[in-house]
Amino acid sequence: MKTVIFREHGGIEKLEYTDVPDPKISADEVLVRVRACALNHLDIWVRQGLGIPVELPHIGGSDIAGEIVEIGEYVTGFRMGQRVLLAPMHFCNHCAKCVAGLQNQCPEFTVRGYAVDGGNCELIAVPPVNVIPFPDKLDFIQAASVPLVFLTAWHMLVGRAGIRQGQTVLVLGGGSGVGIAAIQIAKLFHATVITTAGDETKLEKARALGADHGINHYKQKISEEVRRITNNAGVDIVVEHVGAATWEESMKSLKPAGTLVTCGATTGSSAGFDLRFLFSRQLSLLGSYMGTMGELYEVLGHVFAGRVKPVVDRTFPLKEARAAHEYMEASQMFGKVVLTP
Ligand SMILES: [Zn+2]
């Protein structure tokens, strides 16, 4: 099959469009023909070698949609040709955390395409627990655009921050994958949503998704604008993933007893703050990583019902993976960048 691999870490020139042997499924696996695989910033970091060490050569790509082309003899409940998306994670499925439904706390947990190979290829063998059929109204490209960012945003807002109806939520980077999902999920809870972006076009698109207020983070100071918008109250929840560049502004935007939840550090992983500010304002700082299978089914229910929508920026053929990575690194997109074999 065709695949995009890298044999060593580095720039986009390390991505190689090449042939590898077709995967063989075991009796308890399903073979899926990949029809679309959405990119995430994670793909760039893994290629650059910025995360945990991965086995090389490596196939990236976390968000996969395709059709079932082979079913292992021990697997039931699926049919050939079925259109499915894949839960973008790997877990053991039998430890105490997994059986408690807390897959993202499993000792073996990793994101698909990170410590295990992903879907930048034509065929992928996966356990049936990862395989989720999706309705006809979504095409493969839309389906591939959902799992990682919607699960991440759902776990942040619902699983970790415990969002309640009518709260005020600041979503950093409203044009990012997580931002696009978080805005829509917060609106499911009738939240007042303030979001940030680097240009007016992205802010306009974020408003179209439901954001009530937009802040241009290049022209305006985030915490000052939040104070102005909220009549000095601040927000209940900040959805962070930008990291060093915005951390201080994010903390300053919280109301007393507010919650900052973070899933990323795109602009840098070191941030400092005054402990007196943390305790005297009784703030909560929460880390969040992906989510559980239960949460994935929960948010997919909203996607399948059309209450929240995947946003696709553009697609590239798999063989143009380098151009797709380059496009992502330039941060010009609003929504998902998707590779199609
Ligand atoms: Zn486990």
Side-chain angles (χ1 to χ4, degrees):
M1 67 168 177
K2 292 292 184 194
T3 183
V4 171
I5 62 168
F6 52 90
R7 299 174 196 278
E8 49 189 275
H9 296 294
I12 56 166
E13 72 284 355
K14 302 293 184 191
L15 296 171
E16 213 180 298
Y17 181 65
T18 188
D19 289 287
V20 296
D22 287 0
K24 298 266 180 287
I25 59 166
S26 54
D28 57 356
E29 285 184 317
V30 171
L31 191 68
V32 172
R33 176 167 297 283
V34 179
R35 297 290 302 272
C37 183
L39 289 177
N40 293 281
H41 275 287
L42 180 67
D43 293 294
I44 294 170
W45 297 325
V46 174
R47 190 199 73 222
Q48 292 172 335
L50 301 182
I52 55 159
V54 302
E55 202 176 311
L56 298 172
H58 183 76
I59 301 173
S62 306
D63 279 324
I64 301 155
E67 54 207 341
I68 294 178
V69 290
E70 196 181 341
I71 301 170
E73 60 173 316
Y74 299 161
V75 177
T76 55
F78 295 102
R79 57 180 169 74
M80 296 290 283
Q82 202 166 9
R83 301 158 81 250
V84 295
L85 58 84
L86 303 184
M89 46 189 165
H90 166 85
F91 47 91
C92 81
N93 207 26
H94 56 73
C95 74
K97 293 295 187 182
C98 282
V99 297
L102 303 168
Q103 290 84 5
N104 58 344
Q105 295 177 33
C106 171
E108 277 186 30
F109 182 83
T110 188
V111 180
R112 180 158 297 282
Y114 192 0
V116 297
D117 280 344
N120 288 339
C121 55
E122 291 177 309
L123 294 165
I124 188 163
V126 287
V129 67
N130 286 73
V131 181
I132 303 172
F134 64 87
D136 288 343
K137 61 183 171 187
L138 291 179
D139 61 29
F140 288 113
I141 291 162
Q142 291 169 320
S145 299
V146 173
L148 191 147
V149 289
F150 278 89
L151 173 59
T152 298
W154 186 270
H155 186 58
M156 291 175 84
L157 279 168
V158 183
R160 298 293 281 141
I163 187 172
R164 295 201 303 277
Q165 298 261 337
Q167 288 189 313
T168 304
V169 178
L170 171 63
V171 176
L172 274 288
S176 67
V178 168
I180 286 168
I183 290 168
Q184 297 184 73
I185 291 166
K187 292 310 289 185
L188 282 180
F189 290 83
H190 307 291
T192 299
V193 176
I194 306 169
T195 194
T196 75
D199 64 64
E200 199 44 50
T201 314
K202 284 186 181 178
L203 287 175
E204 207 42 62
K205 288 178 179 173
R207 286 189 193 97
L209 290 175
D212 301 281
H213 306 277
I215 299 173
N216 182 324
H217 56 230
Y218 291 129
K219 290 187 179 161
Q220 297 167 299
K221 211 164 162 56
I222 294 170
S223 62
E224 283 174 9
E225 279 303 300
V226 166
R227 296 278 153 204
R228 188 185 61 75
I229 292 164
T230 61
N231 293 323
N232 232 14
V235 299
D236 296 286
I237 299 171
V238 176
V239 173
E240 243 295 342
H241 52 100
V242 180
T246 52
W247 185 265
E248 192 181 337
E249 288 300 300
S250 292
M251 282 193 70
K252 280 189 190 164
S253 300
L254 288 169
K255 64 168 66 162
T259 299
L260 185 159
V261 57
T262 182
C263 71
T266 313
T267 60
S269 52
S270 284
F273 56 87
D274 188 331
L275 286 167
R276 295 169 297 184
F277 187 73
L278 177 71
F279 68 70
S280 64
R281 292 180 69 80
Q282 305 189 69
L283 305 178
S284 297
L285 302 180
L286 303 177
S288 188
Y289 192 52
M290 292 289 283
T292 68
M293 285 299 296
E295 288 170 328
L296 180 57
Y297 276 100
E298 218 173 344
V299 73
L300 284 177
H302 293 293
V303 175
F304 295 167
R307 290 186 284 270
V308 296
K309 293 181 176 61
V311 178
V312 180
D313 180 279
R314 64 178 284 192
T315 62
F316 289 83
L318 180 62
K319 63 174 181 290
E320 288 172 24
R322 285 182 184 178
H325 275 233
E326 193 169 43
Y327 182 70
M328 289 239 350
E329 284 180 346
S331 289
Q332 291 310 304
M333 66 281 179
F334 187 95
K336 302 304 287 180
V337 175
V338 185
L339 295 175
T340 53

